[in-house]
Amino acid sequence: MTTPFPFTAVVGQDDLRLALLLNAVSPAVGGVLVRGEKGTAKSTAVRALSALLPEVSVVPGCRFSCDPAAPDPGCPDGPHEGGGGAARPARMVELPVGASEDRLVGALDIERALAEGVKAFEPGLLADAHRGILYVDEVNLLHDHLVDLLLDAAAMGASYVEREGVSVRHAARFLLVGTMNPEEGELRPQLLDRFGLTVEVAASREPDQRVEVVRRRLAYDDDPAAFAARWADEETAVRARIVAARELLPSVRLGDGALRQIAATCAAFEVDGMRADIVMARTATALAAWAGRTDVLAEDVRQAALLALPHRRRRNPFDAPGLDEDRLDETLEEFGGDDGPDTDPDGPEGGGGQPPAEGPEGPQGGGDAGAPAEAGEAGEAGEAERSPGAGSGERSPVGAAEPFRTKVLSVPGIGEGAAGRRSRARTEHGRTTGARRPGGALTKLHLAATVRAAAPHQRARGRSGPGLVVRRDDLRQATREGRESNLVLFVVDASGSMAARQRMGAVKGAVVSLLLDAYQRRDKVGLVTFRGSAADVALPPTSSVDAAAARLESLPTGGRTPLAAGLLKAHDVLRVERLRDPARRPLVVVVTDGRATGGPEPVALSSRAARLFAAEGIASVVVDCESGPVRLGLAGRLAGELGGGAVTLDELRADSIAGLVRDVQGTSRRAA
């Protein structure tokens, strides 16, 4: 087994280490979500923590790690008789992003349950992680229903498996740690709120600290055992400090003054619900225990706010997490009057190379990334207003209008892509539409179809009692229909004909509205823009809709309209993405007024490019941005050539009078 990198050897990342240690002291804090760019020791620190956790005593032979001092009365391996326990290290269990529901929560043997009436249960990862750490790398890429199951188990301290009237429950108390790169997509705000603490991490910009990171990593790679031995004393000291803090935790007093500060802080930052207050209270208590105190001080409340509140401030995916520290200090001062003893204002000292109770910085909130406008092609005569002093038809970026709720645009037919909320699909979750023989392990039993398959053979099988004789060939898997997520590829016209400020603001507002809809429906998104003489992939397909919104916000306009180039670029993006993710069906949203003025024979070339989409049955919709009393209908003509439909900006609104839900129409229908 590979020697893990020592926790105390991690350079910097004080907030990350502190948040993990606080959860080790008090798992009731609710886990940690670590957000940050790649290569910032997120996974290294989490894996290193498991070596610091005290050993656990378990009932010998129990697959659910019951504590012999207080065994779970409902344990599937119970009841446990009195007796001694066996000590073992606390486990760290990793949940792969592609794991199935059965792998997470466990599986019932439905065949034995029907034929023998016994609850044959194979434990899942939740059982393995009981009284240890459950680590989910790239938690933002985990399917929503798995995240829901995971967080429910973490909140309740138990896992429930129910299939066709047969149910099993077992204890599942663990330290939940998730890591994610925000560039690859965000968690829903409801799921963010379920993590107790959140930490933003980034690589240091200090050369000396970066040198030390490289030096330690190279030394570890050369000889892991020798490197770990050099840090053994520090590791032992921190392990002992965790044990001492756990023992002290029940004696920590959370006074009325600290409680008032917690409540006032949550109210001042307008967080939803009461979970933030509870998490802050538990975190402040753990901070005091970690510092070796029995009273919670204002500095504990401040540090708890920096760890527990930033991710609860988000209202939509385009909001950056973060906390105004000046406002936090003002609130704490206004509602001061801590009723604990006076202490050193610098706070408790860290021990064994560990961070102090108050880290050097709170999580940093990111801002919108806005690239400067690049020099563009010369503007088409009469198409664009020029900015004062500008020497071309390019205009500076225009802000988006207020977003709105859009109509549902869906892909026709039935797919088999990743679970989501946009288009019809065959899924593991949804309404039952039929039955089939299982191809592998049975996960969703169709009881009626199974009984019908077994009934004609009961006499031949020698049935003599009331029970039904069921064999493997009789089992039927339920087929279910739900919703899938799609790849929504936006192809946005940024030419001079779109450049009028009020008009482009409305166009960007419509695209932002569609991006919000894509976020809620768990889609991947991509952005292709065309202007001047070429088209660019402003954003390759990604799950990060806030990245798409940032690119859109900084989009300049001006120049001719190379519509064909935009369509061909989009077609190429779809071709590459089809190789990477063949099950995910695309929906192309072309935002344009339909004009084609760039390149040789622009109209004919645009028509040929559009027919490529129709020939391959790619679902598409054109958002018609033409305005004014005289309309040429070019966008509608383009929609016909694409084999899709067209909607105006007004018709895109869900509350418009244009009609009900508009499905994208295609010339080719996918087979059901």
Side-chain angles (χ1 to χ4, degrees):
M1 182 177 178
T2 304
T3 303
F5 192 92
F7 187 85
T8 51
V10 175
V11 179
Q13 307 296 9
D14 291 347
D15 283 347
L16 169 59
R17 292 189 294 156
L18 178 60
L20 291 172
L21 289 169
L22 292 177
N23 274 272
V25 171
S26 175
V29 166
V32 186
L33 176 64
V34 187
R35 299 163 43 91
E37 58 196 28
K38 51 187 176 293
T40 49
K42 300 189 298 291
S43 299
T44 299
V46 174
R47 294 189 175 100
L49 178 67
S50 61
L52 297 179
L53 297 182
E55 289 189 334
V56 295
S57 179
V58 299
V59 174
C62 178
R63 297 174 297 166
F64 302 88
S65 303
C66 279
D67 185 350
D72 180 10
C75 177
D77 285 356
H80 299 300
E81 302 295 335
R88 64 160 176 79
R91 293 174 180 158
M92 194 198 75
V93 177
E94 293 195 41
L95 172 62
V97 169
S100 65
E101 181 179 336
D102 285 346
R103 184 72 185 99
L104 176 63
V105 301
L108 289 171
D109 190 331
I110 301 297
E111 184 176 2
R112 290 190 63 191
L114 288 175
E116 304 174 28
V118 297
K119 296 180 181 180
F121 181 68
E122 184 66 28
L125 295 178
L126 291 180
D128 293 341
H130 180 47
R131 304 175 69 196
I133 300 174
L134 182 61
Y135 172 48
V136 189
D137 193 15
E138 308 293 353
V139 66
N140 52 325
L141 304 182
L142 198 65
H143 286 176
D144 280 356
H145 73 280
L146 292 182
V147 179
D148 288 332
L149 290 171
L150 183 64
L151 294 176
D152 284 344
M156 295 186 297
S159 175
Y160 295 85
V161 183
E162 298 190 9
R163 299 278 171 80
E164 305 298 338
V166 181
S167 63
V168 171
R169 173 212 164 274
H170 65 82
R173 292 183 294 276
F174 47 83
L175 166 56
L176 175 64
V177 183
T179 56
M180 59 175 282
N181 183 347
E183 294 178 356
E184 297 172 343
E186 287 285 358
L187 278 172
R188 287 181 288 146
Q190 300 94 317
L191 301 181
L192 277 173
D193 184 59
R194 299 293 293 274
F195 281 93
L197 309 180
T198 293
V199 178
E200 295 280 334
V201 296
S204 172
R205 299 298 184 257
E206 290 291 332
D208 290 344
Q209 194 172 78
R210 295 176 74 96
V211 166
E212 186 62 23
V213 170
V214 175
R215 182 182 289 120
R216 292 187 187 183
R217 186 70 213 190
L218 293 178
Y220 171 77
D221 290 341
D222 288 342
D223 191 342
F227 183 82
R230 290 201 296 271
W231 291 88
D233 291 343
E234 287 84 351
E235 295 281 288
T236 300
V238 174
R239 189 179 299 110
R241 188 175 175 186
I242 292 174
V243 173
R246 284 186 173 185
E247 294 174 351
L248 182 62
L249 188 65
S251 303
V252 174
R253 187 175 69 91
L254 183 65
D256 290 342
L259 274 174
R260 281 195 301 271
Q261 287 183 318
I262 289 171
T265 300
C266 292
F269 286 98
E270 300 179 346
V271 295
D272 295 332
M274 294 298 296
R275 184 175 284 119
D277 303 64
I278 296 171
V279 170
M280 274 190 63
R282 289 172 174 166
T283 304
T285 303
L287 280 162
W290 176 248
R293 287 185 272 101
T294 56
D295 288 277
V296 174
L297 306 181
E299 63 205 38
D300 300 323
V301 176
R302 185 183 192 278
Q303 184 63 55
L306 293 175
L307 294 173
L309 295 188
H311 61 298
R312 294 183 166 90
R313 294 277 295 142
R314 292 173 65 98
R315 290 296 186 272
N316 65 62
F318 309 142
D319 291 339
L323 211 63
D324 184 340
E325 294 193 36
D326 290 337
R327 185 179 179 189
L328 172 61
D329 290 335
E330 292 172 2
T331 303
L332 293 176
E333 184 177 354
E334 179 182 355
F335 292 87
D338 181 45
D339 50 3
D342 293 335
T343 59
D344 183 352
D346 292 333
E349 295 180 355
Q354 290 309 300
E358 179 171 340
E361 294 285 341
Q364 297 177 356
D368 290 338
E374 300 176 357
E377 300 290 334
E380 185 177 3
E383 282 196 336
E385 300 175 11
R386 300 195 178 196
S387 299
S392 73
E394 180 179 303
R395 292 179 59 92
S396 59
V398 177
E402 189 70 20
F404 52 85
R405 190 167 64 90
T406 66
K407 283 195 170 77
V408 180
L409 305 175
S410 61
V411 179
I414 300 181
E416 296 181 348
R421 298 181 179 181
R422 183 170 297 279
S423 305
R424 294 174 58 201
R426 299 182 184 92
T427 62
E428 289 295 317
H429 300 270
R431 63 185 182 88
T432 301
T433 58
R436 60 177 175 83
R437 291 179 182 271
L442 180 70
T443 57
K444 300 291 183 182
L445 177 74
H446 194 296
L447 184 58
T450 299
V451 171
R452 285 197 300 269
H457 309 290
Q458 296 305 295
R459 181 175 297 178
R461 294 173 183 174
R463 172 185 170 186
S464 58
L468 190 67
V469 181
V470 179
R471 295 182 179 173
R472 177 69 187 175
D473 290 344
D474 302 326
L475 299 179
R476 294 295 182 268
Q477 176 87 19
T479 57
R480 304 190 177 211
E481 182 178 310
R483 292 279 167 176
E484 67 176 359
S485 61
N486 299 107
L487 166 60
V488 182
L489 181 61
F490 294 93
V491 185
V492 180
D493 183 349
S495 66
S497 64
M498 303 281 287
R501 284 192 171 271
Q502 190 173 16
R503 184 180 182 192
M504 196 61 197
V507 169
K508 286 187 175 182
V511 178
V512 168
S513 302
L514 290 167
L515 284 170
L516 280 169
D517 183 69
Y519 167 78
Q520 293 165 353
R521 300 184 189 281
R522 314 306 293 158
D523 296 315
K524 291 180 70 174
V525 297
L527 179 62
V528 172
T529 64
F530 57 95
R531 57 183 289 271
S533 61
D536 296 306
V537 181
L539 184 71
T542 175
S543 296
S544 180
V545 295
D546 50 346
R551 301 292 173 86
L552 182 72
E553 189 71 21
S554 62
L555 178 67
T557 57
R560 293 184 178 273
T561 311
L563 176 58
L567 295 176
L568 291 174
K569 180 69 71 173
H571 188 269
D572 189 55
V573 169
L574 294 182
R575 178 184 58 82
V576 174
E577 192 64 19
R578 193 179 298 123
L579 298 175
R580 295 175 178 167
D581 192 355
R584 191 182 295 270
R585 298 187 296 163
L587 170 62
V588 178
V589 180
V590 185
V591 185
T592 182
D593 57 9
R595 296 189 185 187
T597 60
E601 299 184 356
V603 176
L605 187 57
S606 299
S607 296
R608 289 198 295 272
R611 292 191 185 104
L612 290 175
F613 291 81
E616 296 179 15
I618 298 173
S620 63
V621 63
V622 176
V623 178
D624 184 358
C625 301
E626 190 175 25
S627 60
V630 179
R631 295 177 179 265
L632 302 178
L634 298 177
R637 186 183 307 167
L638 173 64
E641 292 169 339
L642 287 166
V647 293
T648 65
L649 290 175
D650 289 338
E651 292 172 342
L652 191 60
R653 293 179 178 271
D655 54 357
S656 72
I657 61 173
L660 300 176
V661 173
R662 178 188 296 267
D663 283 344
V664 180
Q665 301 298 320
T667 56
S668 176
R669 294 292 187 265
R670 299 293 178 95

